[in-house]
Amino acid sequence: MIYTAIDTFYLSEEQLINSPSRKDGIDEVTETTLRIYGCDLIQESGILLRLPQAVMATGQVLFHRFYCKKSFARFNVKRVAASCVWLASKLEESPRKARQVLIVFHRMECRRENLPIEHLDTSSKKYIDLKADLIRTERHLLKEMGFICHVEHPHKFISNYLAPFEAPAELRQEAWNLANDSLRTTLCVRFKSEVVACGVVYAAARRFEVPLPEDPPWWKAFDADKAGIDEVCRVLAHLYSLPKAQYIPVCKEGSSFATSNRSRDMPSLPVSKEGFLDVRPVNEDTEEVAKDAVTKPALDKLKDLKKNDDDAKPLEGVSKEDTGRTDHRTDAGGEKNKERERDRGRDRERERDKERLKSRERDRGRESDRERERDDFERDKEKSKERSHRSRDKGHSEKPKHHSSRDRDYPSYSSREKDRRRHH
């Protein structure tokens, strides 16, 4: 039994050999290939979703931990990888929507399997089923982890370890790349992150021929041992010798994240190469248990057959009615979904109409403001013209007044002259 606690999810080599996948008849090569394939999916999807490297590293660690407790034959690799990416994005505070994750994985699957690339319709039944499987698999992940998803990566130790050696930038980059590649293996569930960081630094130094102090050994300052460092280097060298991982259909139901509920509840039995269940016991107790497991279902089936012989006809009628009800329920559910989609479309159209009316009202308000400004400008012009005309009229009215005064004085002067002439 594997117990999960904070930063204590580490297994021995014997526990990895006796994994649930091996008990279901999956050999070591197939399990290793599927682990690498799932980690490749997580890395590629993280790049397409523009996620930081910490999210992809956390998702790969969760992927390895989950398949240390569950079998590849019962849970599909592709769907578990999608759930790991979705959960890791939340843990590392870079969340992505379920719709985005499903669209990316759907497109990746089409490209990898040379299928025609089609857009995943979010209103289709296929998308609804995929989303339900994604949520269900995330619950399985959290359940198996005990809701303890603490992950410590070796990347943060690399710069600290290389700082006292004054290593070049190329060595640091090579160590960083090796740390990313180590997440495709089971090193994250076998050794602590400090040991993996020391192994990565040692491999990068050997590749660039950079000497490291050995008297005293440099790895003792970082709580590591030479055996762990050598094992890390050996696993990385074996990883680089393998070809590119391809998908192997091991899960019984490839369309869903896991197999049916019945297969989940039943204990997993080893499968031989010929395809039959291998129920060879080791002890007498296990032999009795195996016999009971084989004989009890057969006896129960015989009893059920005897009981159902007499009631076959009414049961057939009931089954037909039940099937009719189920079909009616499915039709009703499909009609409800269509009505909901129609209502959503109507609501969207109403919102668009409201926005258009608001924009028109704004334009009208702007036009009315411009017209008011024009009217005010014209009124000011007219007022200024009237003032100028009034001032001109005043000037013309004053001139004839002066002429009239002269005319009035002129006749008075002429009368005096006439009087004078009369006296003379």
Side-chain angles (χ1 to χ4, degrees):
M1 183 65 183
I2 301 171
Y3 296 98
T4 303
I6 296 177
D7 200 22
T8 58
F9 197 102
Y10 300 109
L11 309 178
S12 62
E13 191 173 358
E14 295 179 356
Q15 289 177 327
L16 287 174
I17 292 172
N18 297 322
S19 63
S21 299
R22 303 286 180 85
K23 293 178 182 178
D24 285 343
I26 299 173
D27 56 351
E28 182 181 0
V29 177
T30 304
E31 184 178 0
T32 304
T33 304
L34 289 174
R35 283 182 182 272
I36 297 172
Y37 181 80
C39 293
D40 289 341
L41 289 178
I42 293 171
Q43 185 72 25
E44 186 178 352
S45 64
I47 294 170
L48 294 175
L49 290 168
R50 297 181 181 179
L51 292 169
Q53 181 61 31
V55 176
M56 293 176 265
T58 302
Q60 291 173 0
V61 174
L62 294 176
F63 179 82
H64 286 297
R65 289 182 179 180
F66 179 75
Y67 279 113
C68 287
K69 291 188 173 184
K70 292 296 179 182
S71 174
F72 282 98
R74 296 175 61 193
F75 289 86
N76 193 1
V77 181
K78 299 176 183 178
R79 309 296 160 77
V80 173
S83 300
C84 289
V85 172
W86 194 37
L87 179 59
S89 66
K90 300 174 189 176
L91 295 174
E92 297 296 336
E93 297 181 355
S94 299
R96 294 292 184 271
K97 295 181 180 180
R99 174 177 57 81
Q100 297 172 342
V101 175
L102 291 175
I103 289 173
V104 166
F105 270 84
H106 180 263
R107 191 174 184 83
M108 286 166 51
E109 186 176 359
C110 292
R111 283 184 175 180
R112 284 174 175 263
E113 297 183 2
N114 296 324
L115 297 174
I117 298 175
E118 297 178 355
H119 180 68
L120 183 61
D121 189 7
T122 55
S123 62
S124 62
K125 185 180 179 183
K126 182 179 179 181
Y127 172 78
I128 295 170
D129 295 337
L130 288 174
K131 188 175 181 180
D133 289 336
L134 185 71
I135 297 169
R136 191 183 304 114
T137 309
E138 185 191 27
R139 291 176 184 172
H140 280 287
L141 282 167
L142 294 172
K143 177 185 174 183
E144 296 301 328
M145 303 298 167
F147 286 84
I148 299 173
C149 301
H150 175 73
V151 179
E152 193 173 24
H153 302 297
H155 299 75
K156 66 179 183 180
F157 297 105
I158 293 173
S159 58
N160 295 331
Y161 290 177
L162 292 175
F165 302 137
E166 296 180 358
E170 296 177 355
L171 180 61
R172 294 183 181 181
Q173 186 62 44
E174 183 65 22
W176 192 274
N177 295 337
L178 291 173
N180 290 333
D181 294 337
S182 68
L183 295 170
R184 288 177 169 82
T185 64
T186 56
L187 291 174
C188 58
V189 295
R190 291 179 59 188
F191 301 102
K192 292 185 178 181
S193 55
E194 294 89 345
V195 179
V196 177
C198 289
V200 163
V201 170
Y202 180 74
R206 290 290 297 272
R207 181 170 295 181
F208 285 95
E209 297 180 356
V210 176
L212 297 174
E214 294 183 358
D215 191 16
W218 62 275
W219 56 81
K220 288 186 177 179
F222 306 116
D223 296 332
D225 55 349
K226 190 65 168 62
I229 293 173
D230 293 339
E231 182 64 18
V232 171
C233 295
R234 187 190 67 79
V235 172
L236 288 173
H238 178 67
L239 174 66
Y240 294 138
S241 65
L242 296 174
K244 186 177 180 180
Q246 300 293 334
Y247 176 67
I248 301 173
V250 175
C251 186
K252 295 178 181 178
E253 294 184 4
S255 60
S256 62
F257 278 103
T259 56
S260 60
N261 295 327
R262 183 180 178 185
S263 62
R264 290 177 189 170
D265 298 333
M266 289 178 64
S268 59
L269 295 175
V271 181
S272 62
K273 295 181 180 179
E274 297 177 356
F276 300 100
L277 290 174
D278 190 3
V279 292
R280 294 178 183 177
V282 180
N283 298 325
E284 293 179 356
D285 297 334
T286 56
E287 186 176 0
E288 291 178 358
V289 172
K291 287 181 180 179
D292 293 336
V294 175
T295 56
K296 282 183 179 180
L299 293 173
D300 294 336
K301 286 182 179 179
L302 290 172
K303 290 179 181 179
D304 294 334
L305 289 171
K306 290 179 180 179
K307 290 180 180 179
N308 294 330
D309 286 337
D310 298 331
D311 301 332
K313 294 181 180 180
L315 285 173
E316 289 177 358
V318 173
S319 63
K320 290 180 181 178
E321 292 177 358
D322 293 335
T323 53
R325 291 175 184 174
T326 54
D327 295 335
H328 181 68
R329 289 176 183 174
T330 54
D331 295 336
E335 291 177 357
K336 288 182 180 178
N337 292 328
K338 290 181 181 178
E339 290 178 357
R340 290 176 183 174
E341 292 175 1
R342 291 173 184 173
D343 294 336
R344 291 176 183 174
R346 291 172 184 172
D347 295 335
R348 290 174 184 173
E349 290 179 358
R350 290 174 184 172
E351 290 178 357
R352 290 175 184 173
D353 294 336
K354 288 181 181 178
E355 290 178 356
R356 290 174 184 172
L357 291 173
K358 288 181 180 179
S359 62
R360 289 177 182 175
E361 290 177 356
R362 289 174 185 172
D363 296 336
R364 289 175 183 174
R366 290 174 184 174
E367 291 178 357
S368 62
D369 294 336
R370 290 176 183 174
E371 290 177 357
R372 289 176 184 174
E373 290 177 357
R374 290 175 184 174
D375 294 338
D376 295 336
F377 184 70
E378 290 177 357
R379 287 174 185 174
D380 293 336
K381 278 186 176 181
E382 290 177 358
K383 288 181 181 180
S384 62
K385 287 180 180 179
E386 288 178 357
R387 289 175 184 174
S388 62
H389 285 300
R390 287 176 184 176
S391 61
R392 289 177 184 175
D393 294 338
K394 286 181 181 179
H396 288 298
S397 61
E398 288 176 355
K399 285 180 181 178
K401 285 180 180 179
H402 290 291
H403 286 295
S404 62
S405 63
R406 287 177 184 176
D407 294 336
R408 288 177 183 176
D409 293 336
Y410 182 75
S412 61
Y413 178 75
S414 61
S415 61
R416 287 179 183 179
E417 286 182 351
K418 286 179 179 181
D419 293 335
R420 287 178 183 177
R421 287 176 181 177
R422 287 175 183 176
H423 288 293
H424 287 296

